[in-house]
Amino acid sequence: MNKRPVETIMGIVVLAVAAFFAYFAYNVSDLQVVKGYTVKAKFLKVGGLTVGSDVRLNGIKIGTVIGQSLDSNDYTANVKMSLASDIKLPVDSVVAIVGDGLVGDKFIKIEPGHSKEFLKDGDEMQNTKDFKTLEDMVGEIIFMVTDDGSSENK
């Protein structure tokens, strides 16, 4: 009977330490949604991009994907992003969906433009690059290798 209080106290200590580590890991791992202003972009295909995916500029997380929808008129994918309010992006910035290696998670990569005008809350980014699957890239390589240029002379 004397072991019960000691076991209970040790169990509480273990749970408290586990909760602390979970809280610490969540804060260090950049899983939280970046709060700031929202922008939208349209893509033909998103290739596995999900809500909660990172938005990165030069490899640094500056935002989060907060929504996806399908446009019923032209069947494009509308992606809504929340960007950090201290990051001011030029309106001619290029937004692309890329992967973290062959089997890594998909994220949005932003290449800043050179315009003096900056994106505002609710703006739509115009310069987009769609996600390219491995099959798309292999197909392009095969086409380049097998194309002898004879179709240009006809």
Side-chain angles (χ1 to χ4, degrees):
M1 294 295 251
N2 287 341
K3 290 185 179 180
R4 269 219 163 101
V6 173
E7 290 174 354
T8 304
I9 292 171
M10 288 305 293
I12 291 171
V13 169
V14 168
L15 289 175
V17 169
F20 170 75
F21 278 119
Y23 174 76
F24 179 76
Y26 178 76
N27 285 332
V28 171
S29 65
D30 282 337
L31 291 176
Q32 54 268 52
V33 174
V34 173
K35 302 281 190 223
Y37 64 101
T38 60
V39 294
K40 298 174 272 188
K42 287 187 173 191
F43 297 95
L44 292 176
K45 54 186 169 182
V46 293
L49 186 76
T50 59
V51 172
S53 295
D54 290 352
V55 177
R56 300 181 192 172
L57 176 69
N58 295 334
I60 308 290
K61 180 178 178 178
I62 62 162
T64 306
V65 175
I66 58 173
Q68 292 182 357
S69 63
L70 187 65
D71 189 333
S72 59
N73 295 328
D74 59 2
Y75 302 108
T76 56
N78 296 321
V79 176
K80 190 174 182 182
M81 300 165 271
S82 176
L83 303 177
S85 55
D86 60 332
I87 304 295
K88 302 296 182 208
L89 291 174
V91 294
D92 61 344
S93 297
V94 177
V95 58
I97 298 175
V98 297
D100 225 0
L102 283 178
V103 293
D105 290 336
K106 308 305 181 259
F107 65 93
I108 292 184
K109 175 183 172 185
I110 296 180
E111 298 170 5
H114 302 291
S115 175
K116 300 294 181 204
E117 187 179 343
F118 297 102
L119 291 168
K120 297 181 287 298
D121 189 35
D123 283 353
E124 182 173 323
M125 299 182 79
Q126 300 298 321
N127 299 330
T128 61
K129 291 182 181 177
D130 296 318
F131 178 73
K132 284 194 169 196
T133 63
L134 183 60
E135 292 84 8
D136 292 339
M137 291 186 274
V138 169
E140 287 178 9
I141 291 170
I142 291 172
F143 180 74
M144 287 186 328
V145 170
T146 58
D147 186 26
D148 62 0
S150 61
S151 59
E152 294 175 4
N153 296 332
K154 291 183 181 182

